[in-house]
Amino acid sequence: MGKKSKRNRSKADESTRPAPAQRQEEEETAENLRFQDPYVDEIIEEEDIVDADDKDEKMEAADGGEDVELIQSWHPLMGMPENGVEELEMDPKAYKMYHTLSPEWPSLSFDFLKDNLGDARQRFPHSLQAVIGTQADTPQNNQLTVLKLSDLSKLPQEDEDEEDEDYDKADDGSSSSDDEDEDVDLDPVMEHYSLPHYGGVNRIRAMPQKSDVVATWSELGQVNIFNIEHLRARFQASEGRHTSSSSANPKNPVFTYSGHNEEGYAMDWSLVNQGHLATGDNSGNIHLWKPHSDGSYDVTPSYE
């Protein structure tokens, strides 16, 4: 009866102890110093910087607005979409020059012809020469067409930076009049001449050392060699320049080879030996061509 329990004593002791807030408010003495850091740590929360346009698009998507159209570059290995409909649109920002041409007949092959205006020209307007083989409805309606496109102006670049333009002008040393000429929107001019080609053209290639000589792979299994010098001379005549072309105007191929067993698509001229040619058919046979001074060729089966 006269003894107090330990539990009661412990509670009594705890009640006599000062609270933590009271202990902190005790008077500071030499034996009881408090440390204060003069530099306070500041915590800065990072925020993502979002453009106003992107923010509006995200808000519209979140609010159930219009769907944002996804634009992708086309690649032939990507395949067709599920609905089987593929619509390709040209992006003006990806090109400096863009022109379309609709021939009379579809074409499986074409090649550019080397001219005497230089290989690294960049000043607009541009011009080019090309040779095209057709795939007509009947063999006798096919053609070998030589064309020249001139006054090809560049696309207007709406997003060009003015500072970059000033830097480019100062760097290449071009005059302002030349730059104004490049910005003029001209109407393209096309000039073309054709030769009859019996059978559809599977492949056409111009000799790199002499673009007047053109080889064609016919769907009938024949390889033809054409001389188009007289057609290209008309381009110079239309410009008022003197031409030294011969008076002969051959319409038929100067040489025809029928040694392949079937048609083919592989064809290329040698970059090392002028006039040397290699042709391959669908059976895997490769034939090598060696020219003679009279315009004929020795064709040797090299791989069969």
Side-chain angles (χ1 to χ4, degrees), residues 28-35:
E28 182 179 4
T29 62
E31 297 178 355
N32 184 20
L33 297 177
R34 293 194 298 269
F35 175 75

Side-chain angles (χ1 to χ4, degrees), residues 210-278:
K210 187 178 181 181
S211 296
D212 295 334
V213 180
V214 175
T216 63
W217 238 125
S218 173
E219 64 180 0
L220 303 179
Q222 297 177 343
V223 179
N224 304 306
I225 304 295
F226 287 87
N227 189 335
I228 59 173
E229 180 182 3
H230 62 288
L231 297 181
R232 300 187 68 191
R234 298 181 184 180
F235 298 148
Q236 299 182 8
S238 63
E239 297 175 357
R241 292 187 297 173
H242 175 71
T243 175
S244 58
S245 175
S246 61
S247 59
N249 297 324
K251 294 183 178 181
N252 297 324
V254 295
F255 186 82
T256 299
Y257 177 69
S258 304
H260 283 281
N261 295 329
E262 59 178 316
E263 65 175 327
Y265 294 84
M267 169 186 293
D268 203 2
W269 293 94
S270 173
L271 297 177
V272 179
N273 298 319
Q274 179 175 340
H276 288 246
L277 180 70

Side-chain angles (χ1 to χ4, degrees), residues 167-179:
Y167 175 80
D168 293 338
K169 293 177 183 179
D171 183 59
D172 58 14
S174 60
S175 61
S176 59
S177 60
D178 294 340
D179 297 328

